[in-house]
Amino acid sequence: MSRLVIVSNRVPTPVEGGVRAGGLTVALADALGPGTLWFGWSGRRTARAGTASAVAQVEAQGITYATIDLSETEYRLFYAGYSNGVLWPLLHFRLGLVRYRAEEYQAWQAVNHRFADALAPLLRPDDLIWVHDYHLVPLGEALRARGVTARIGFFLHTPFVPPEVLRALPRAEQLLASLCAYDVVGFHTAGFRAGFLRGVTEILGLVPEADGRILFGGRRVAAIVDPIGIDAGGFAATAEQAWGGTEVRRLRSSLAGRTLAIGVDRLDYSKGLVQRLDAFGRLLARHPEHRRRVSFLQVAARSREDVSDYRDLRNELDRIVGETIGQYSEFDWVPLRYMTRPLRRRTLAGFYRVAHMAVVTPLRDGMNLVAKEYVAAQDPADPGVLILSCFAGAAEDLTDALIVNPFDADEIAEAMHSALSMRLEERQARHQRLAARVWHNDAQRFSRVFLDHLRGSVAAEGK
Ligand code: GDG
């Protein structure tokens, strides 16, 4: 059987007694059998650039983790610069936030080539190589240039933009060509895949074959739709266990019988936090009956603080939170609780179960796993209501949520009002249909579908 090689920008470093469960680790859990190699950046930054041969390897639970360090300059140009200051805003339709600098683009290419230099000697011809996310788009091409013949797939965790937006990126055609160097390219939704195929047609001038495959440079790349999911049963069990735990008990006693609403996001401008908090203020203004009855807990774990747009967002949120609390608080009730420190995963699962509604309103999102986690964590006998942005990939599947336009604070406020007033029978019926989707499109299915395509790609090519 072929060995699986996962490549991601950050490698989840093994910790004592196991591996730290990052989002990707959870999503790939079923694919990560003994013998798997996981390669990427260690998370360490060094004063000077490392050499290609400086690969650190550790083994945990049969998986080998091979990492390289980045220099401070590489981190600044490749990671904070091009990856998170150009590609992230572009792929989330935020052209106004794109800050293109040629030196960052060159560093992005160079780091991908350094990854390839370090990884190529570790590879075997029958490996299945699965590369993750926008930081590493050129890696497949760089590996091919080093004579790697193994099958290589790429999965994009963000949205993909249509050519009208993509054209704003200098060297957009190079980005598309790099994606075409893979055997399989995966997207969360049919819409993202369609955008990619249109880009290939309109910018590269190629005509995809009837099955959506593209012939490029003598190879065929298959563009597939493969929505990421969670370990729904596992997460439901965690939420149930957390119910009796100290944190959930403390939370519930602090609520004193009031309803909890919850939002959980990385502190990122793509998540629609400003509009969401604005909407909550409008709910309290328009529907005063909810005052004193509901508390909104927003967990917004700090992220990418060395990118200036993220610092600006944090300041703006501090201001809105202060305004809302100042305007509506009473001496024994605070409408909004706001944390920028992360919670433990188990605690989070329990908090989802306590919450009567979750507000998941990104302005754009590849998928959004919080929406799926919230559904999985509910008590089916008394489930909460999910409010979901129409611009999250998850909305394609979770159509029984209350779907809103995340730019329209009034619409979100009305959805909050509906959620807080919804009768038990409707909550149960919606939840049952949502849970069926979350259990169906789960993590196991995600990796199985991708790897089946990757395994099949060579055979199909020879036909
Ligand atoms: C990218 C794409 C796509 C959040 N706060 C805490 C915490 N989290 C966990 C959540 C969830 C994960 O982080 C966030 O996942 P999302 O999918 O919501 O968003 P991104 O981080 O932007 O992920 C996204 C995803 O990749 C997968 O393809 O869905 O569209 O942008 O699991 O629970 N976890 C803990 N404490 C927190 O405070 N423990």
Side-chain angles (χ1 to χ4, degrees), residues 261-314:
I262 198 165
V264 176
D265 310 76
R266 274 186 310 99
L267 207 164
D268 192 297
Y269 52 76
S270 66
K271 302 295 184 183
L273 291 161
V274 169
Q275 290 83 348
R276 183 185 312 167
L277 297 185
D278 179 17
F280 183 60
R282 285 171 197 239
L283 170 81
L284 298 176
R286 290 231 205 102
H287 299 282
E289 69 271 24
H290 297 302
R291 292 185 200 170
R292 299 184 56 83
R293 294 224 179 105
V294 61
S295 277
F296 195 116
L297 170 63
Q298 177 63 55
V299 181
R302 274 173 270 180
S303 150
R304 303 179 191 169
E305 290 183 282
D306 32 23
V307 180
S308 64
D309 291 312
Y310 288 73
R311 291 193 298 272
D312 295 347
L313 172 67
R314 200 172 156 203

CSV table of all heavy atoms in Angstrom, one decimal, residues 261-314:
chain,number,residue,atom,x,y,z
A,261,ALA,N,-26.2,32.8,23.8
A,261,ALA,CA,-25.9,32.8,22.4
A,261,ALA,C,-24.4,32.7,22.3
A,261,ALA,O,-23.6,33.3,23.1
A,261,ALA,CB,-26.4,34.1,21.8
A,262,ILE,N,-23.9,32.1,21.2
A,262,ILE,CA,-22.4,31.9,21.1
A,262,ILE,C,-21.9,32.2,19.7
A,262,ILE,O,-22.6,32.0,18.7
A,262,ILE,CB,-22.0,30.5,21.6
A,262,ILE,CG1,-20.5,30.4,21.9
A,262,ILE,CG2,-22.3,29.4,20.5
A,262,ILE,CD1,-20.1,29.2,22.7
A,263,GLY,N,-20.7,32.8,19.7
A,263,GLY,CA,-19.9,32.9,18.4
A,263,GLY,C,-18.5,32.4,18.7
A,263,GLY,O,-18.0,32.8,19.8
A,264,VAL,N,-17.9,31.7,17.8
A,264,VAL,CA,-16.6,31.2,18.0
A,264,VAL,C,-15.8,31.3,16.7
A,264,VAL,O,-16.2,30.7,15.7
A,264,VAL,CB,-16.6,29.7,18.4
A,264,VAL,CG1,-15.2,29.1,18.6
A,264,VAL,CG2,-17.3,29.5,19.8
A,265,ASP,N,-14.8,32.1,16.7
A,265,ASP,CA,-14.0,32.3,15.5
A,265,ASP,C,-12.6,32.6,15.8
A,265,ASP,O,-12.3,33.1,16.9
A,265,ASP,CB,-14.6,33.5,14.7
A,265,ASP,CG,-16.0,33.5,14.6
A,265,ASP,OD1,-16.8,33.8,15.6
A,265,ASP,OD2,-16.5,33.3,13.5
A,266,ARG,N,-11.7,32.4,14.8
A,266,ARG,CA,-10.4,33.1,14.9
A,266,ARG,C,-10.7,34.6,14.8
A,266,ARG,O,-11.6,34.9,14.0
A,266,ARG,CB,-9.5,32.6,13.8
A,266,ARG,CG,-8.7,31.4,14.2
A,266,ARG,CD,-7.7,31.0,13.1
A,266,ARG,NE,-8.2,31.0,11.8
A,266,ARG,CZ,-8.1,32.0,10.9
A,266,ARG,NH1,-7.4,33.1,11.2
A,266,ARG,NH2,-8.6,32.0,9.7
A,267,LEU,N,-9.9,35.4,15.4
A,267,LEU,CA,-10.1,36.8,15.3
A,267,LEU,C,-9.6,37.2,13.9
A,267,LEU,O,-8.4,37.5,13.7
A,267,LEU,CB,-9.3,37.6,16.4
A,267,LEU,CG,-9.9,38.9,16.8
A,267,LEU,CD1,-9.3,39.3,18.2
A,267,LEU,CD2,-9.7,40.0,15.8
A,268,ASP,N,-10.5,37.2,12.9
A,268,ASP,CA,-10.1,37.4,11.5
A,268,ASP,C,-11.2,38.2,10.8
A,268,ASP,O,-12.4,38.0,11.0
A,268,ASP,CB,-10.0,36.0,10.8
A,268,ASP,CG,-9.3,36.1,9.5
A,268,ASP,OD1,-9.9,36.7,8.5
A,268,ASP,OD2,-8.3,35.4,9.3
A,269,TYR,N,-10.7,39.1,9.9
A,269,TYR,CA,-11.7,40.0,9.3
A,269,TYR,C,-12.6,39.3,8.3
A,269,TYR,O,-13.7,39.8,7.9
A,269,TYR,CB,-11.0,41.2,8.5
A,269,TYR,CG,-9.9,40.7,7.6
A,269,TYR,CD1,-10.2,40.2,6.3
A,269,TYR,CD2,-8.6,40.8,7.9
A,269,TYR,CE1,-9.2,39.7,5.5
A,269,TYR,CE2,-7.6,40.4,7.0
A,269,TYR,CZ,-7.9,39.9,5.8
A,269,TYR,OH,-6.9,39.4,5.0
A,270,SER,N,-12.3,38.0,8.0
A,270,SER,CA,-13.2,37.3,7.1
A,270,SER,C,-14.4,36.7,7.9
A,270,SER,O,-15.4,36.3,7.3
A,270,SER,CB,-12.5,36.1,6.5
A,270,SER,OG,-12.1,35.2,7.5
A,271,LYS,N,-14.4,36.8,9.2
A,271,LYS,CA,-15.4,36.1,10.0
A,271,LYS,C,-16.7,37.0,10.2
A,271,LYS,O,-17.6,36.5,10.9
A,271,LYS,CB,-14.8,35.6,11.3
A,271,LYS,CG,-13.7,34.6,11.1
A,271,LYS,CD,-14.0,33.3,10.4
A,271,LYS,CE,-12.9,32.4,10.3
A,271,LYS,NZ,-13.2,31.1,9.6
A,272,GLY,N,-16.6,38.2,9.8
A,272,GLY,CA,-17.8,39.1,10.0
A,272,GLY,C,-18.2,39.5,11.4
A,272,GLY,O,-19.3,39.7,11.7
A,273,LEU,N,-17.1,39.6,12.2
A,273,LEU,CA,-17.4,39.9,13.7
A,273,LEU,C,-18.0,41.2,13.9
A,273,LEU,O,-18.9,41.4,14.8
A,273,LEU,CB,-16.1,39.7,14.4
A,273,LEU,CG,-15.5,38.3,14.5
A,273,LEU,CD1,-14.1,38.2,14.8
A,273,LEU,CD2,-16.3,37.5,15.5
A,274,VAL,N,-17.6,42.2,13.2
A,274,VAL,CA,-18.1,43.6,13.4
A,274,VAL,C,-19.6,43.6,13.1
A,274,VAL,O,-20.4,44.1,13.9
A,274,VAL,CB,-17.3,44.6,12.5
A,274,VAL,CG1,-17.9,46.0,12.5
A,274,VAL,CG2,-15.8,44.7,12.9
A,275,GLN,N,-19.9,43.1,12.0
A,275,GLN,CA,-21.4,43.1,11.6
A,275,GLN,C,-22.2,42.3,12.6
A,275,GLN,O,-23.3,42.6,12.9
A,275,GLN,CB,-21.5,42.5,10.2
A,275,GLN,CG,-21.0,43.4,9.0
A,275,GLN,CD,-19.5,43.2,8.8
A,275,GLN,OE1,-18.8,42.6,9.6
A,275,GLN,NE2,-19.0,43.8,7.7
A,276,ARG,N,-21.6,41.2,13.1
A,276,ARG,CA,-22.3,40.3,14.0
A,276,ARG,C,-22.6,41.0,15.3
A,276,ARG,O,-23.7,41.0,15.8
A,276,ARG,CB,-21.5,39.1,14.3
A,276,ARG,CG,-22.2,38.1,15.1
A,276,ARG,CD,-21.3,36.9,15.4
A,276,ARG,NE,-20.6,36.4,14.2
A,276,ARG,CZ,-19.6,35.6,14.3
A,276,ARG,NH1,-19.1,35.1,15.4
A,276,ARG,NH2,-19.1,35.2,13.1
A,277,LEU,N,-21.6,41.7,15.9
A,277,LEU,CA,-21.8,42.4,17.1
A,277,LEU,C,-22.7,43.6,16.9
A,277,LEU,O,-23.6,43.9,17.8
A,277,LEU,CB,-20.5,42.8,17.7
A,277,LEU,CG,-19.5,41.7,18.1
A,277,LEU,CD1,-18.3,42.1,18.8
A,277,LEU,CD2,-20.2,40.6,19.0
A,278,ASP,N,-22.6,44.2,15.8
A,278,ASP,CA,-23.6,45.3,15.5
A,278,ASP,C,-25.0,44.7,15.5
A,278,ASP,O,-25.9,45.3,16.0
A,278,ASP,CB,-23.2,45.9,14.1
A,278,ASP,CG,-24.1,47.0,13.6
A,278,ASP,OD1,-24.8,47.5,14.5
A,278,ASP,OD2,-24.1,47.3,12.4
A,279,ALA,N,-25.1,43.6,14.8
A,279,ALA,CA,-26.5,42.9,14.8
A,279,ALA,C,-27.0,42.6,16.2
A,279,ALA,O,-28.2,42.8,16.4
A,279,ALA,CB,-26.4,41.6,14.0
A,280,PHE,N,-26.2,42.2,17.1
A,280,PHE,CA,-26.6,41.9,18.4
A,280,PHE,C,-27.1,43.2,19.1
A,280,PHE,O,-28.2,43.1,19.8
A,280,PHE,CB,-25.5,41.2,19.2
A,280,PHE,CG,-25.9,40.8,20.6
A,280,PHE,CD1,-27.0,39.9,20.7
A,280,PHE,CD2,-25.3,41.3,21.7
A,280,PHE,CE1,-27.4,39.5,22.0
A,280,PHE,CE2,-25.8,40.9,23.0
A,280,PHE,CZ,-26.8,40.0,23.1
A,281,GLY,N,-26.4,44.3,18.9
A,281,GLY,CA,-26.9,45.5,19.5
A,281,GLY,C,-28.2,45.9,18.9
A,281,GLY,O,-29.1,46.4,19.6
A,282,ARG,N,-28.4,45.7,17.6
A,282,ARG,CA,-29.7,46.0,17.0
A,282,ARG,C,-30.8,45.1,17.5
A,282,ARG,O,-32.0,45.6,17.6
A,282,ARG,CB,-29.6,45.8,15.4
A,282,ARG,CG,-28.8,47.0,14.8
A,282,ARG,CD,-28.5,46.7,13.3
A,282,ARG,NE,-27.5,47.5,12.9
A,282,ARG,CZ,-27.6,48.4,11.9
A,282,ARG,NH1,-28.7,48.5,11.2
A,282,ARG,NH2,-26.5,49.2,11.6
A,283,LEU,N,-30.5,43.9,17.8
A,283,LEU,CA,-31.5,43.0,18.4
A,283,LEU,C,-32.0,43.6,19.7
A,283,LEU,O,-33.2,43.6,19.9
A,283,LEU,CB,-30.9,41.6,18.6
A,283,LEU,CG,-31.8,40.7,19.4
A,283,LEU,CD1,-32.9,40.0,18.6
A,283,LEU,CD2,-31.0,39.6,20.1
A,284,LEU,N,-31.0,44.0,20.5
A,284,LEU,CA,-31.4,44.5,21.8
A,284,LEU,C,-32.2,45.8,21.7
A,284,LEU,O,-33.1,46.1,22.5
A,284,LEU,CB,-30.2,44.7,22.7
A,284,LEU,CG,-29.4,43.4,23.0
A,284,LEU,CD1,-28.1,43.8,23.8
A,284,LEU,CD2,-30.2,42.4,23.8
A,285,ALA,N,-31.8,46.6,20.7
A,285,ALA,CA,-32.5,47.9,20.5
A,285,ALA,C,-34.0,47.7,20.0
A,285,ALA,O,-34.9,48.3,20.5
A,285,ALA,CB,-31.7,48.7,19.5
A,286,ARG,N,-34.1,46.8,19.0
A,286,ARG,CA,-35.4,46.6,18.4
A,286,ARG,C,-36.3,45.7,19.2
A,286,ARG,O,-37.6,45.7,19.0
A,286,ARG,CB,-35.2,45.9,17.0
A,286,ARG,CG,-34.6,46.8,16.1
A,286,ARG,CD,-35.4,46.8,14.8
A,286,ARG,NE,-34.5,47.2,13.8
A,286,ARG,CZ,-33.9,46.3,12.9
A,286,ARG,NH1,-34.3,45.1,12.9
A,286,ARG,NH2,-33.1,46.8,12.0
A,287,HIS,N,-35.8,44.7,19.8
A,287,HIS,CA,-36.6,43.7,20.6
A,287,HIS,C,-36.2,43.7,22.0
A,287,HIS,O,-35.5,42.8,22.5
A,287,HIS,CB,-36.4,42.3,20.0
A,287,HIS,CG,-36.8,42.2,18.5
A,287,HIS,ND1,-38.1,42.1,18.1
A,287,HIS,CD2,-36.0,42.2,17.4
A,287,HIS,CE1,-38.1,42.1,16.8
A,287,HIS,NE2,-36.9,42.1,16.3
A,288,PRO,N,-36.6,44.8,22.7
A,288,PRO,CA,-36.1,44.9,24.1
A,288,PRO,C,-36.5,43.7,25.0
A,288,PRO,O,-35.9,43.6,26.1
A,288,PRO,CB,-36.8,46.2,24.6
A,288,PRO,CG,-37.6,46.7,23.5
A,288,PRO,CD,-37.5,45.8,22.3
A,289,GLU,N,-37.4,42.9,24.6
A,289,GLU,CA,-37.8,41.8,25.4
A,289,GLU,C,-36.7,40.8,25.7
A,289,GLU,O,-36.7,40.0,26.6
A,289,GLU,CB,-39.0,41.0,24.8
A,289,GLU,CG,-38.8,40.3,23.5
A,289,GLU,CD,-39.0,41.1,22.3
A,289,GLU,OE1,-38.9,42.4,22.4
A,289,GLU,OE2,-39.3,40.5,21.2
A,290,HIS,N,-35.6,40.9,24.8
A,290,HIS,CA,-34.5,40.0,25.0
A,290,HIS,C,-33.5,40.5,26.0
A,290,HIS,O,-32.6,39.8,26.4
A,290,HIS,CB,-33.8,39.7,23.6
A,290,HIS,CG,-34.7,39.0,22.6
A,290,HIS,ND1,-35.3,37.8,22.9
A,290,HIS,CD2,-35.1,39.3,21.4
A,290,HIS,CE1,-36.0,37.4,21.9
A,290,HIS,NE2,-35.9,38.3,21.0
A,291,ARG,N,-33.6,41.8,26.3
A,291,ARG,CA,-32.7,42.4,27.3
A,291,ARG,C,-32.8,41.6,28.6
A,291,ARG,O,-33.9,41.3,29.0
A,291,ARG,CB,-32.9,43.9,27.5
A,291,ARG,CG,-32.6,44.7,26.3
A,291,ARG,CD,-32.8,46.2,26.6
A,291,ARG,NE,-32.9,46.9,25.3
A,291,ARG,CZ,-33.3,48.2,25.2
A,291,ARG,NH1,-33.5,48.9,26.3
A,291,ARG,NH2,-33.4,48.7,24.0
A,292,ARG,N,-31.8,41.4,29.3
A,292,ARG,CA,-31.7,40.7,30.5
A,292,ARG,C,-32.0,39.2,30.4
A,292,ARG,O,-31.9,38.4,31.3
A,292,ARG,CB,-32.7,41.3,31.6
A,292,ARG,CG,-32.5,42.7,31.9
A,292,ARG,CD,-33.5,43.2,33.0
A,292,ARG,NE,-33.4,42.3,34.2
A,292,ARG,CZ,-32.5,42.4,35.1
A,292,ARG,NH1,-31.6,43.4,35.1
A,292,ARG,NH2,-32.5,41.6,36.2
A,293,ARG,N,-32.4,38.8,29.2
A,293,ARG,CA,-32.8,37.4,29.0
A,293,ARG,C,-31.7,36.6,28.3
A,293,ARG,O,-31.7,35.4,28.3
A,293,ARG,CB,-34.1,37.2,28.2
A,293,ARG,CG,-35.3,37.8,28.9
A,293,ARG,CD,-36.5,36.8,28.8
A,293,ARG,NE,-37.6,37.3,29.5
A,293,ARG,CZ,-38.7,37.8,28.9
A,293,ARG,NH1,-38.7,37.9,27.6
A,293,ARG,NH2,-39.7,38.3,29.6
A,294,VAL,N,-30.8,37.3,27.5
A,294,VAL,CA,-29.8,36.6,26.7
A,294,VAL,C,-28.5,37.2,27.0
A,294,VAL,O,-28.3,38.4,27.2
A,294,VAL,CB,-30.2,36.6,25.2
A,294,VAL,CG1,-30.3,38.0,24.7
A,294,VAL,CG2,-29.2,35.8,24.4
A,295,SER,N,-27.5,36.3,26.9
A,295,SER,CA,-26.1,36.8,27.0
A,295,SER,C,-25.4,36.2,25.8
A,295,SER,O,-25.5,35.0,25.5
A,295,SER,CB,-25.4,36.3,28.3
A,295,SER,OG,-25.7,37.1,29.3
A,296,PHE,N,-24.6,37.0,25.1
A,296,PHE,CA,-23.9,36.6,23.9
A,296,PHE,C,-22.4,36.4,24.4
A,296,PHE,O,-21.8,37.3,24.8
A,296,PHE,CB,-24.0,37.7,22.9
A,296,PHE,CG,-23.6,37.2,21.5
A,296,PHE,CD1,-24.5,37.1,20.5
A,296,PHE,CD2,-22.2,36.8,21.2
A,296,PHE,CE1,-24.1,36.7,19.2
A,296,PHE,CE2,-21.9,36.3,20.0
A,296,PHE,CZ,-22.8,36.3,19.0
A,297,LEU,N,-21.9,35.2,24.1
A,297,LEU,CA,-20.5,34.9,24.4
A,297,LEU,C,-19.8,34.8,23.1
A,297,LEU,O,-20.0,33.9,22.3
A,297,LEU,CB,-20.3,33.6,25.2
A,297,LEU,CG,-18.9,33.1,25.3
A,297,LEU,CD1,-18.0,34.0,26.1
A,297,LEU,CD2,-18.9,31.7,25.9
A,298,GLN,N,-18.9,35.8,22.8
A,298,GLN,CA,-18.1,35.7,21.6
A,298,GLN,C,-16.6,35.3,22.0
A,298,GLN,O,-15.9,36.0,22.7
A,298,GLN,CB,-18.1,37.1,20.9
A,298,GLN,CG,-17.2,37.1,19.6
A,298,GLN,CD,-17.6,36.1,18.5
A,298,GLN,OE1,-18.8,36.2,18.1
A,298,GLN,NE2,-16.7,35.2,18.1
A,299,VAL,N,-16.2,34.2,21.5
A,299,VAL,CA,-14.8,33.7,21.6
A,299,VAL,C,-14.1,34.1,20.3
A,299,VAL,O,-14.5,33.6,19.3
A,299,VAL,CB,-14.8,32.2,21.9
A,299,VAL,CG1,-13.3,31.8,22.1
A,299,VAL,CG2,-15.6,31.8,23.1
A,300,ALA,N,-13.2,34.9,20.4
A,300,ALA,CA,-12.4,35.3,19.2
A,300,ALA,C,-10.9,35.2,19.4
A,300,ALA,O,-10.3,36.1,19.8
A,300,ALA,CB,-12.8,36.7,18.8
A,301,ALA,N,-10.5,33.9,19.3
A,301,ALA,CA,-9.1,33.7,19.6
A,301,ALA,C,-8.1,34.5,18.7
A,301,ALA,O,-8.3,34.5,17.5
A,301,ALA,CB,-8.8,32.2,19.4
A,302,ARG,N,-7.2,35.2,19.3
A,302,ARG,CA,-6.3,36.0,18.6
A,302,ARG,C,-5.5,35.2,17.5
A,302,ARG,O,-5.2,34.1,17.8
A,302,ARG,CB,-5.3,36.6,19.5
A,302,ARG,CG,-5.8,37.9,20.2
A,302,ARG,CD,-4.8,38.4,21.2
A,302,ARG,NE,-5.3,37.8,22.5
A,302,ARG,CZ,-4.6,38.0,23.6
A,302,ARG,NH1,-3.5,38.8,23.6
A,302,ARG,NH2,-5.0,37.5,24.7
A,303,SER,N,-5.2,35.9,16.4
A,303,SER,CA,-4.6,35.2,15.3
A,303,SER,C,-3.9,36.2,14.4
A,303,SER,O,-4.2,37.3,14.4
A,303,SER,CB,-5.8,34.5,14.6
A,303,SER,OG,-5.6,34.3,13.2
A,304,ARG,N,-2.7,35.7,13.9
A,304,ARG,CA,-2.0,36.5,12.9
A,304,ARG,C,-1.7,38.0,13.3
A,304,ARG,O,-1.9,38.9,12.6
A,304,ARG,CB,-2.7,36.5,11.5
A,304,ARG,CG,-2.9,35.1,11.0
A,304,ARG,CD,-3.6,35.1,9.7
A,304,ARG,NE,-4.0,33.7,9.4
A,304,ARG,CZ,-4.9,33.4,8.5
A,304,ARG,NH1,-5.4,34.3,7.7
A,304,ARG,NH2,-5.2,32.1,8.3
A,305,GLU,N,-1.3,38.1,14.6
A,305,GLU,CA,-1.2,39.5,15.1
A,305,GLU,C,-0.1,40.3,14.5
A,305,GLU,O,0.0,41.5,14.7
A,305,GLU,CB,-1.0,39.4,16.6
A,305,GLU,CG,-2.3,38.9,17.3
A,305,GLU,CD,-2.2,38.9,18.8
A,305,GLU,OE1,-1.6,38.0,19.3
A,305,GLU,OE2,-2.8,39.9,19.4
A,306,ASP,N,0.8,39.6,13.7
A,306,ASP,CA,1.8,40.4,13.1
A,306,ASP,C,1.4,40.9,11.7
A,306,ASP,O,2.2,41.5,11.0
A,306,ASP,CB,3.2,39.7,13.0
A,306,ASP,CG,3.0,38.2,12.9
A,306,ASP,OD1,1.9,37.8,12.4
A,306,ASP,OD2,3.9,37.4,13.2
A,307,VAL,N,0.1,40.7,11.3
A,307,VAL,CA,-0.4,41.4,10.1
A,307,VAL,C,-1.3,42.6,10.6
A,307,VAL,O,-2.1,42.4,11.5
A,307,VAL,CB,-1.3,40.4,9.3
A,307,VAL,CG1,-1.8,41.0,8.1
A,307,VAL,CG2,-0.5,39.1,9.0
A,308,SER,N,-1.0,43.8,10.0
A,308,SER,CA,-1.6,45.0,10.6
A,308,SER,C,-3.1,45.0,10.6
A,308,SER,O,-3.7,45.5,11.5
A,308,SER,CB,-1.0,46.2,9.9
A,308,SER,OG,-1.4,46.2,8.6
A,309,ASP,N,-3.7,44.4,9.5
A,309,ASP,CA,-5.1,44.4,9.4
A,309,ASP,C,-5.8,43.7,10.6
A,309,ASP,O,-6.9,44.0,11.0
A,309,ASP,CB,-5.6,43.8,8.1
A,309,ASP,CG,-5.2,44.7,6.9
A,309,ASP,OD1,-5.5,45.9,7.0
A,309,ASP,OD2,-4.6,44.1,6.0
A,310,TYR,N,-5.1,42.7,11.2
A,310,TYR,CA,-5.6,42.0,12.3
A,310,TYR,C,-5.6,42.8,13.6
A,310,TYR,O,-6.5,42.7,14.4
A,310,TYR,CB,-4.9,40.6,12.5
A,310,TYR,CG,-5.2,39.6,11.4
A,310,TYR,CD1,-4.7,39.8,10.1
A,310,TYR,CD2,-6.1,38.6,11.6
A,310,TYR,CE1,-5.1,38.9,9.0
A,310,TYR,CE2,-6.4,37.7,10.6
A,310,TYR,CZ,-5.9,37.9,9.3
A,310,TYR,OH,-6.2,37.0,8.3
A,311,ARG,N,-4.5,43.6,13.7
A,311,ARG,CA,-4.4,44.5,14.9
A,311,ARG,C,-5.5,45.5,14.8
A,311,ARG,O,-6.2,45.9,15.7
A,311,ARG,CB,-3.1,45.1,14.9
A,311,ARG,CG,-2.0,44.2,15.3
A,311,ARG,CD,-0.7,44.9,15.7
A,311,ARG,NE,-0.2,45.7,14.6
A,311,ARG,CZ,0.7,45.3,13.7
A,311,ARG,NH1,1.1,44.1,13.7
A,311,ARG,NH2,1.1,46.1,12.7
A,312,ASP,N,-5.8,46.1,13.6
A,312,ASP,CA,-6.8,47.1,13.4
A,312,ASP,C,-8.2,46.5,13.7
A,312,ASP,O,-9.0,47.2,14.4
A,312,ASP,CB,-6.9,47.6,11.9
A,312,ASP,CG,-5.6,48.3,11.5
A,312,ASP,OD1,-4.8,48.6,12.4
A,312,ASP,OD2,-5.3,48.5,10.3
A,313,LEU,N,-8.4,45.3,13.3
A,313,LEU,CA,-9.7,44.6,13.6
A,313,LEU,C,-9.9,44.5,15.1
A,313,LEU,O,-11.0,44.8,15.6
A,313,LEU,CB,-9.8,43.3,12.9
A,313,LEU,CG,-11.0,42.4,13.3
A,313,LEU,CD1,-12.3,43.1,12.7
A,313,LEU,CD2,-10.9,41.0,12.7
A,314,ARG,N,-8.8,44.1,15.8
A,314,ARG,CA,-9.0,43.9,17.2
A,314,ARG,C,-9.3,45.2,17.9
A,314,ARG,O,-10.2,45.2,18.8
A,314,ARG,CB,-7.6,43.4,17.7
A,314,ARG,CG,-7.8,42.7,19.1
A,314,ARG,CD,-6.6,42.0,19.5
A,314,ARG,NE,-6.7,41.9,21.0
A,314,ARG,CZ,-5.7,41.8,21.8
A,314,ARG,NH1,-4.5,41.7,21.3
A,314,ARG,NH2,-5.9,41.7,23.1
